[in-house]
Amino acid sequence: MDTLDTYIESLTKQMQELAITTAEEVTQLRLKAEQAEQIHELLVNTFLYLGKGWPLHILSLKKQQELLLKIMASEHHPAVTILSEVHHLAVEQTTKFSRAYFPKILADACDQARLPIDKESRHPTYLFNRGFFKLTVNESKKTARLSNYEVKSLWEIPADVGAIVEGIQREHKRLFERRFSGSEFLSTIRSQYLSLIKQGKKKDGESIPIRDITRRLGKNKDKFRTDEFLIDLSQLVKDGSTRIDGRCLELQQTKDDNRGMLLYGKEEQGYIGFVVFK
């Protein structure tokens, strides 16, 4: 091997070593950047929950980020001390969660938010909108879960009263403050019905399970949600605008509550199991 080849080989080896070293530095910097982002998110959320007065959210976040907090402590991060003070304060504030305080605090917050609790409610279960929404409080876990006729768990969160009220308001707005067109909704049901009777080799006028319609919509319609379908169907029945293509929509009952839907505001009529156009 001549001198030039030896020189090139030496340069190549040095460049390779430098490239490897730089790659390791890039990896370390990326890891540090990811950690910094995690710390930033932790601090922002803790700041948010502290300002809202949500101590259970603060303690839940602390538990979720236990490993990150240990890393921060080992690296003597300047935020460790203040976070420790916030966590200590949060522990003291959670005494308000006890059965002796919680029902009144929730009732007062709901009154202020104009979100009436149904009279039939008894701790740890609270009903809203004539039983359509059900809030279940878990005292041992210090969490609250919201459900409705169609969804067993809309969310489950640490049971800070302010967060609960915000969550119920958000779901109420999603369901009851949407744009609704009875003619458009009826047309949607009709088109799904016609597709299903064709698929099942049935005749127009025969009944179709209502869950077949919601399942088909779930596959074909973007962001479809059964509880929104239920509220729209309930509004359609209430308005009485059920005629289309010279036919009238009829809803038939079922005793199988797993296969039926309970119309909002028409609960006394029982579960609706089938759709037919006559």
Side-chain angles (χ1 to χ4, degrees), residues 17-77:
E17 290 174 351
L18 285 169
I20 292 171
T21 301
T22 305
E24 291 173 352
E25 290 175 353
V26 169
T27 300
Q28 291 300 317
L29 287 170
R30 282 176 178 163
L31 290 172
K32 290 297 289 183
E34 289 175 7
Q35 182 177 300
E37 286 180 4
Q38 291 171 2
I39 292 172
H40 176 258
E41 185 177 358
L42 169 65
L43 293 173
V44 167
N45 286 330
T46 303
F47 167 77
L48 174 67
Y49 299 152
L50 182 65
K52 286 178 172 285
W54 296 357
L56 292 172
H57 274 69
I58 291 172
L59 296 178
S60 176
L61 183 59
K62 176 191 174 187
K63 187 175 181 180
Q64 293 170 23
Q65 299 294 346
E66 211 168 343
L67 179 59
L68 179 62
L69 288 165
K70 286 181 180 178
I71 293 172
M72 291 171 66
S74 68
E75 295 178 352
H76 305 290
H77 194 284

Side-chain angles (χ1 to χ4, degrees), residues 172-189 217 221 224-243 249 251 263-264:
H172 188 281
K173 182 177 181 179
R174 175 179 67 84
L175 285 163
F176 296 105
E177 297 181 27
R178 290 173 299 117
R179 173 186 170 273
F180 173 71
S181 168
S183 59
E184 288 180 15
F185 182 69
L186 182 60
S187 179
T188 296
I189 296 177
L217 282 168
K221 185 177 179 182
F224 173 77
R225 299 185 69 164
T226 56
D227 55 356
E228 292 178 2
F229 176 90
L230 170 65
I231 295 302
D232 287 347
L233 183 61
S234 302
Q235 186 63 46
L236 186 73
V237 172
K238 181 182 177 181
D239 294 346
S241 305
T242 56
R243 294 192 63 83
L249 169 68
L251 303 175
L263 294 183
Y264 175 65

Side-chain angles (χ1 to χ4, degrees), residues 244-263:
I244 185 172
D245 297 341
R247 290 177 176 265
C248 185
L249 169 68
E250 289 188 11
L251 303 175
Q252 299 173 341
Q253 292 179 309
T254 179
K255 293 182 179 179
D256 188 348
D257 55 1
N258 290 319
R259 300 181 65 183
M261 303 185 86
L262 196 61
L263 294 183

